[in-house]
Amino acid sequence: MRLSGITPSGHAQLGNYLGAIRRWAADGGERDLYFISDLHAMTTAHNPARLRSLAEETLAALIASGIPAERVFVQSDLTAELGALTWVLECTCTYGEAARMIQFKEKAGGQAGVRLSLLTYPVLMAADILLQGASEVPVGEDQNQHVELARALARRFNSTYGEVFTVPRAVLPLAGARVRDLADPARKMSKSTKDSAGVVFLLDEPELIRRKIRRAVTDSHSIPGYQPDERPGIANLLEILAACTGRAPGDLAGEYPTYGALKEATAEAVVETLRPVRERTTELLTDPAELARIRKEGAARAAERGEHRLSSALRLIGAG
Ligand code: AMP
């Protein structure tokens, strides 16, 4: 079983959808799990009300994209279970192991007021994985070291106190499209980019999507061609159009005589791809009772799935 998370550090964007969410909905295994990792969005300065609303919105977006509700949960609904397991795992982890995490060094380096949770969040991540009994964790390069830590902690706990945890391993995520920022194609489209001119959000109105795509950075050529390294702006548009239409970016390049025509086609394809997701997400957000019901059920299932592992781990380590 695979476990994938999405951190609600901003509004879900087109890259999340084409690169991950859409693949989760279409090709995810029957037992795979998805969670909104809102507790992970608290390791640096955050706004509580905004985080709460982003977590709800992201949950609605995953359900609206077609991921079955029983496979989705919100991390903070398991705060009690995860808090307890994190403590068990912190007592299994060494300070040296946590301090070695490259991401911690990168994010904490030279900063004042670094939250302790920035150091310990990989242990919470291990708790996320080990509580659910996930055997595979699809992650990018930047999270590999954290999955390795979860793996080491599972092994160490099992051999020191008794067999409780499935030992997880990092796997490559299902390959979806890689979407770059429309205003700066050198970087990946991201929900936490401050300037949102080049970021298409799942809930953007069609007119706003068209405007953002019309303003996308291109290059000084005038005829579309697919050369990802030399012409990243145009390649990005072609890749987005390809991901929305199921065609190959190289084939599409010859079909548009001008940049304007390519942008027009890309904008329409994105608008139509996102339309059902936006409409269903908005529908769910305006029905808080239904969303709360879905959320509660997901949380109950996730807690139940991990209950025996948590109680065994607590007993074996000598708690209670
Ligand atoms: P994140 O937004 O970093 O929490 O990532 C959530 C999921 O969306 C991960 O599986 C990422 O690989 C995927 N993702 C995020 N941004 C992009 C992007 N610009 N292009 C493709 N996939 C993306």
Side-chain angles (χ1 to χ4, degrees), residues 6-18:
I6 178 160
T7 306
S9 48
H11 299 284
Q13 40 82 17
L14 183 66
N16 294 127
Y17 184 71
L18 296 178

Side-chain angles (χ1 to χ4, degrees), residues 272-314:
E272 290 316 315
T273 300
L274 294 185
R275 188 186 300 281
V277 179
R278 179 173 55 92
E279 286 177 357
R280 179 85 186 108
T281 305
T282 312
E283 208 177 289
L284 274 170
L285 290 171
T286 50
D287 187 355
E290 171 64 0
L291 196 57
R293 189 194 60 74
I294 291 174
R295 181 168 171 166
K296 210 169 148 194
E297 249 183 59
R301 279 174 198 264
E304 204 179 289
R305 217 177 280 119
E307 206 176 349
H308 65 287
R309 292 186 198 95
L310 175 59
S311 60
S312 301
L314 286 168

Side-chain angles (χ1 to χ4, degrees), residues 8 45 69 101 123 142 150 158 164 192 239 280 300:
M101 295 294 122
V123 186
D142 57 333
N158 288 348
V164 175
S192 35
E239 282 169 15
R280 179 85 186 108

Side-chain angles (χ1 to χ4, degrees), residues 5-149:
I6 178 160
T7 306
S9 48
H11 299 284
Q13 40 82 17
L14 183 66
N16 294 127
Y17 184 71
L18 296 178
I21 300 172
R22 191 172 71 161
R23 297 298 311 264
W24 295 346
D27 305 320
E30 241 164 57
R31 296 173 54 237
D32 290 356
L33 298 173
Y34 306 93
F35 74 110
I36 321 297
S37 44
D38 53 347
L39 298 177
H40 289 303
M42 300 176 185
T43 56
T44 51
H46 76 290
N47 173 323
R50 180 166 189 265
L51 178 58
R52 184 169 293 119
S53 120
L54 285 171
E56 291 262 301
E57 185 188 296
T58 310
L59 172 68
L62 295 197
I63 306 291
S65 302
I67 299 176
E70 65 269 18
R71 295 203 263 127
V72 183
F73 64 94
V74 179
Q75 186 187 28
S76 62
D77 290 339
L78 269 66
T79 302
E81 292 83 352
L82 290 170
L85 188 55
T86 297
W87 183 251
V88 167
L89 295 174
E90 281 183 5
C91 297
T92 309
C93 186
T94 67
Y95 169 73
E97 277 175 315
R100 258 206 308 276
M101 295 294 122
I102 295 162
Q103 214 180 60
F104 172 72
K105 289 195 228 167
E106 279 176 3
K107 288 195 178 172
Q111 304 277 327
V114 171
R115 293 184 181 175
L116 181 57
S117 56
L118 190 63
L119 176 69
T120 59
Y121 105 83
V123 186
L124 171 60
M125 182 170 157
D128 294 325
I129 299 165
L130 302 187
L131 185 70
Q132 298 304 320
S135 52
E136 297 185 338
V137 189
V139 284
E141 190 65 38
D142 57 333
Q143 290 290 331
N144 249 323
Q145 200 186 16
H146 296 164
V147 180
E148 283 306 312
L149 179 68

